[in-house]
Amino acid sequence: MSEQTEQNPSGVVIVGAGMAGVQTAVALREQGFTGPVTLLGAEPHQPYDRPPLSKAVLLGKAEDSAFDVDFEGLGIGLRLGTEVTGLRAAERELDTEAGPVPYEVLVLATGAVPLTLPGTEGVPGVHLLRTLDDAARLRPVLAEAPRTVVVGAGWIGAEFATAAREAGCEVTVVEAADRVLAGALPAEVAAPMARWYEEAGAELITGAKVAGTEEGRVLLADGRALPAGAVVVGIGARPATGWLAGTGVELGPDGSVTADAYLRTSLPGVYAVGDCASFPSARYGTRLLVHHWDNALQGPRAVAANILAGEPVQVYDPVPYFWSEQFGRFVQYAGHHAAADTLLRRGDPAGPTWSVCWLRDGVLVAVLAVGRPRDLAQGRKLIETGARVDPAKVADPAVPLKSAPL
């Protein structure tokens, strides 16, 4: 053990106390790292999980969603309420309001920040939902069941709308694109999902840009004014990397840290993981930026292994996965369909359960499952193995996907 201690870096500092940061710290300990580990979190709260914010916490079914991690027992130093403002690579130091923090190895796990709607800053009744404090502010508002306008019909907008309907609010969802999930799924796949809004009693307005917000109403570009006791904005997020400008950490056009296949950044001894980092996928032949929980869970294991070894030993090339609970449905997605050449349906999209599979050169590359968890689980394994499949079997909802390989 002492020999291993001497080989290990003497100090790993992790910036960001969300899922990716916490899991990196935990993975380091699980894999045998014995040196100092420090976790810096900008928020004052104990590190917490984000998915419950739009569900249990928002609806008052849980007070918080703190991670069940014994940081003290694991010897992980927590410095909460510590916002990092700069990085000086030559000195291997971080700048914070409380003074410099030295590091030997640095992990960037700062996550993402929600996109704001121009002109809404300071307008009463306009909410984002990214932090525990956001949920605490919005929960009593929804409890009063006001007429609510949700801006954005993506994954998070649908979850907002679901929670607001469950709270008893009248809900109108406004989407600038001409359809729901425009940035995530092809029109033919997303079309059936638009009906879910109506079935849930929410009004959906597509092709409508928000021109402005005033207290009590949302103004659309076509002149309409929507009454709104509350406005919830869910139009996406961007990597929280603005503070890295000029530090020598290479950033992509989307603002993400351009990590390599081992999740190393352009600076020696600096890694990046989770929502703030993109990585090259050999599986898909492109660079991926994955803003989902599973990426923040899986990536830290590779980072920890590479830090522990002191050299690149573990490539990070996952099959991206996420889920969304909306309008009484459990929606799951695995893979990356952008370069697919064949789309196959399993089941009737007008029904309660169905799936969509994407193939490329006869190989399954992505699957979307609505209420068909076995399709997701079996499809994900097929994507991982890269096996060629029989399209006829894939398109038959009565045939298990695990039986589809040729």
Side-chain angles (χ1 to χ4, degrees):
M1 181 65 72
S2 60
E3 181 179 338
Q4 186 182 24
T5 304
E6 290 173 10
Q7 292 174 349
N8 286 341
S10 61
V12 177
V13 175
I14 303 164
V15 184
M19 171 62 85
V22 167
Q23 289 300 322
T24 299
V26 171
L28 281 166
R29 291 299 188 227
E30 288 179 344
Q31 294 182 28
F33 181 75
T34 55
V37 176
T38 303
L39 192 61
L40 306 179
E43 295 181 54
H45 311 289
Q46 279 290 113
Y48 60 88
D49 204 4
R50 294 191 190 278
L53 295 185
S54 62
K55 305 175 185 74
V57 175
L58 185 60
L59 293 172
K61 298 175 181 178
E63 280 305 308
D64 61 36
S65 54
F67 291 115
D68 184 18
V69 174
D70 182 2
F71 294 101
E72 185 176 353
L74 289 172
I76 297 168
L78 270 185
R79 295 183 57 177
L80 303 176
T82 303
E83 185 166 355
V84 178
T85 57
L87 163 62
R88 287 173 287 111
E91 291 82 16
R92 294 213 171 196
E93 280 189 341
L94 294 165
D95 291 321
T96 76
E97 292 179 353
V101 176
Y103 67 85
E104 187 161 345
V105 175
L106 176 65
V107 180
L108 305 175
T110 48
V113 292
L115 296 173
T116 57
L117 201 59
T120 58
E121 192 171 343
V123 177
V126 178
H127 300 267
L128 297 167
L129 183 53
R130 184 73 183 179
T131 68
L132 188 60
D133 289 339
D134 291 338
R137 282 188 290 266
L138 188 52
R139 181 166 62 186
V141 174
L142 289 190
E144 295 177 5
R147 186 183 292 267
T148 301
V149 172
V150 176
V151 182
W155 298 115
I156 191 66
E159 293 189 3
F160 287 160
T162 299
R165 286 297 296 141
E166 190 172 332
C169 305
E170 289 185 49
V171 176
T172 300
V173 179
V174 178
E175 170 57 50
D178 60 358
R179 57 190 177 85
V180 302
L181 292 165
L185 295 173
E188 60 195 299
V189 176
M193 299 176 168
R195 293 194 293 269
W196 299 354
Y197 289 79
E198 183 180 358
E199 292 171 7
E203 181 184 8
L204 173 65
I205 304 174
T206 57
K209 289 185 170 57
V210 174
T213 55
E214 299 173 353
E215 186 172 5
R217 62 180 190 162
V218 174
L219 308 175
L220 302 184
D222 61 10
R224 282 180 286 178
L226 306 177
V231 180
V232 184
V233 179
I235 55 174
R238 68 176 188 279
T241 56
W243 65 282
L244 291 169
T247 62
V249 174
E250 182 184 344
L251 303 178
D254 55 12
S256 66
V257 178
T258 54
D260 68 6
Y262 304 97
L263 297 179
R264 298 177 300 180
T265 74
S266 54
L267 291 179
V270 181
Y271 295 78
V273 67
D275 288 5
C276 72
S278 63
F279 55 89
S281 171
R283 185 190 308 276
Y284 292 106
T286 189
R287 178 168 285 274
L288 298 179
L289 174 60
V290 181
H291 280 186
H292 293 299
W293 186 91
D294 191 66
N295 178 52
L297 175 68
Q298 305 294 343
R301 296 169 187 168
V303 169
N306 292 328
I307 291 174
L308 204 64
E311 59 182 356
V313 294
Q314 187 168 325
V315 167
Y316 185 61
D317 193 5
V319 173
Y321 166 76
F322 75 90
W323 79 95
S324 176
E325 295 178 78
Q326 51 186 264
F327 307 121
R329 293 167 174 84
F330 188 47
V331 184
Q332 295 172 284
Y333 177 95
H336 182 67
H337 66 266
D341 53 37
T342 303
L343 186 153
L344 300 171
R345 294 188 183 278
R346 289 170 60 81
D348 182 0
T353 64
W354 48 274
S355 298
V356 173
C357 294
W358 286 268
L359 311 185
R360 183 181 184 186
D361 298 329
V363 174
L364 187 67
V365 294
V367 58
L368 171 75
V370 178
R372 290 179 66 98
R374 287 185 182 176
D375 279 2
L376 190 289
Q378 294 175 16
R380 190 178 186 182
K381 289 180 180 177
L382 291 179
I383 297 169
E384 288 171 349
T385 61
R388 292 180 62 82
V389 293
D390 182 343
K393 290 182 178 179
V394 171
D396 186 345
V399 175
L401 279 179
K402 65 182 179 182
S403 302
L406 293 170

